[in-house]
């Protein structure tokens, strides 16, 4: 347990180098400190909303953006047949995701990329059937501008399931950004589903009642 690091540190990051520095210190204890101690359930909800709507061929790959140590990938492989790739800014978090395997010992992630989603990615347009993202669109992390590039990575008719911290959704005005993409006929009208981030039955902390909005939409032709 690393008592020195917490959500207050994560939410006050200002730059990509701050993000890298924090997660390089946090990677070893992230799952124990954050996922277990905080009663984190957000990944289950973002993946569940994705799998409930995804009408994809089993061979189409899904990209987990800001995959961290890989709890979203584990959940996705439990619930669906698709190959999963992961992308993250932190090499230390990616190293943890590399170690994740399913019951048969097969790595959860097909490919893992170290990349900044706020910069141009070296991935072809329409390479994925879907994108999921959990805990990355939040205070001190990634804002609405990154969504445009993620839409381009998904083939028309595929599905994005982006978990956005609800307070940050309002603060960074994701609503206006998404409306602009709809007006430009770039995406379908997003469905916004409110989900809990933490399970109050297993955890007591200042953020236990925080909610996420899962934005679900498809790229248009
Ligand atoms: C709170 S963690 C969530 C990790 C994982 N998705 C989960 O739910 O446990 C946020 C992750 O976003 C990554 N991240 C933050 N900013 C990023 C950026 N600009 N590009 C790529 N990854 C980023 C961090 O390195 C970190 O692993």
């Amino acid at each position: 347990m690393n008592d020195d690091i917490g959500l207050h540190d994560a939410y006050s990051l200002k730059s990509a180098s701050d993000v890298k520095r924090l997660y390089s210190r946090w990677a070893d204890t992230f799952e124990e400190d954050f996922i277990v101690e905080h009663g984190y359930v957000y990944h289950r909800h973002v993946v569940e909303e994705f799998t409930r709507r995804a009408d994809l061929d089993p061979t189409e790959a899904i990209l987990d953006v800001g995959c961290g140590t890989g709890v979203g990938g584990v959940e996705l492989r439990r619930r669906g047949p698709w190959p999963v790739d992961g992308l993250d800014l932190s090499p230390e978090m990616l190293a943890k995701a590399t170690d994740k395997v399913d019951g048969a010992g097969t790595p959860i992630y097909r490919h893992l990329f170290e990349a900044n989603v706020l910069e141009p990615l070296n991935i072809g347009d329409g390479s994925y059937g879907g994108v999921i993202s959990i805990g990355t669109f939040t205070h001190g992390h990634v804002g609405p501008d990154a969504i445009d590039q993620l839409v381009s990575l998904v083939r028309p008719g595929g599905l994005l399931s982006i978990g956005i911290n609800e307070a940050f959704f309002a603060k960074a005005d994701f609503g206006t950004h998404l409306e602009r993409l709809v007006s430009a006929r770039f995406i379908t009208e997003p469905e916004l589903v409110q989900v809990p981030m933490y399970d109050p039955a297993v955890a007591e902390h200042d953020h236990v009642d925080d909610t996420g909005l899962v934005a679900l939409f498809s790229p248009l032709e």
Side-chain angles (χ1 to χ4, degrees), residues 147-162:
I147 289 179
D148 303 37
Q149 176 164 226
L150 299 186
V151 173
S152 303
L153 302 183
V154 176
R155 63 143 174 97
L159 180 68
L160 292 93
S161 177
I162 311 287

Side-chain angles (χ1 to χ4, degrees), residues 145-200:
D145 290 347
I147 289 179
D148 303 37
Q149 176 164 226
L150 299 186
V151 173
S152 303
L153 302 183
V154 176
R155 63 143 174 97
L159 180 68
L160 292 93
S161 177
I162 311 287
I164 305 165
N165 175 295
E166 188 164 3
F168 186 61
F169 186 100
K171 189 175 168 199
D173 201 4
F174 276 82
T176 300
H177 193 90
L178 290 169
E179 267 168 35
R180 232 182 265 135
L181 298 182
V182 171
S183 300
R185 300 206 38 79
F186 195 38
I187 60 168
T188 57
E189 188 70 47
E191 188 183 350
L192 298 176
V193 180
Q194 189 188 54
V195 298
M197 291 186 178
Y198 308 99
D199 179 356

Side-chain angles (χ1 to χ4, degrees), residues 45-201:
H45 291 289
V46 173
V47 170
E48 186 184 336
E49 298 304 332
F50 179 84
T51 53
R52 205 179 268 167
R53 292 162 185 80
D55 182 16
L56 306 174
D57 189 273
T59 60
E60 291 192 86
I62 313 303
L63 182 64
D64 179 4
V65 172
C67 63
T69 61
V71 295
V74 170
E75 196 63 31
L76 191 56
R77 288 294 297 278
R78 228 181 248 146
R79 290 172 178 269
W82 313 284
V84 190
D85 292 349
L87 172 161
D88 203 282
L89 192 54
S90 163
E92 292 82 5
M93 295 291 269
L94 285 167
K96 301 288 175 193
T98 308
D99 292 341
K100 290 269 185 311
V101 291
D102 65 15
T106 307
I108 293 289
Y109 289 94
R110 182 184 67 167
H111 300 302
L112 286 162
F113 310 98
E114 184 182 329
N116 183 347
V117 76
L118 294 168
E119 292 175 356
L121 300 170
N122 191 16
I123 302 173
D125 285 357
S127 297
Y128 288 97
V131 159
I132 61 165
S133 187
I134 309 141
T136 299
F137 284 82
T138 190
H139 308 282
H141 286 52
V142 174
D145 290 347
I147 289 179
D148 303 37
Q149 176 164 226
L150 299 186
V151 173
S152 303
L153 302 183
V154 176
R155 63 143 174 97
L159 180 68
L160 292 93
S161 177
I162 311 287
I164 305 165
N165 175 295
E166 188 164 3
F168 186 61
F169 186 100
K171 189 175 168 199
D173 201 4
F174 276 82
T176 300
H177 193 90
L178 290 169
E179 267 168 35
R180 232 182 265 135
L181 298 182
V182 171
S183 300
R185 300 206 38 79
F186 195 38
I187 60 168
T188 57
E189 188 70 47
E191 188 183 350
L192 298 176
V193 180
Q194 189 188 54
V195 298
M197 291 186 178
Y198 308 99
D199 179 356

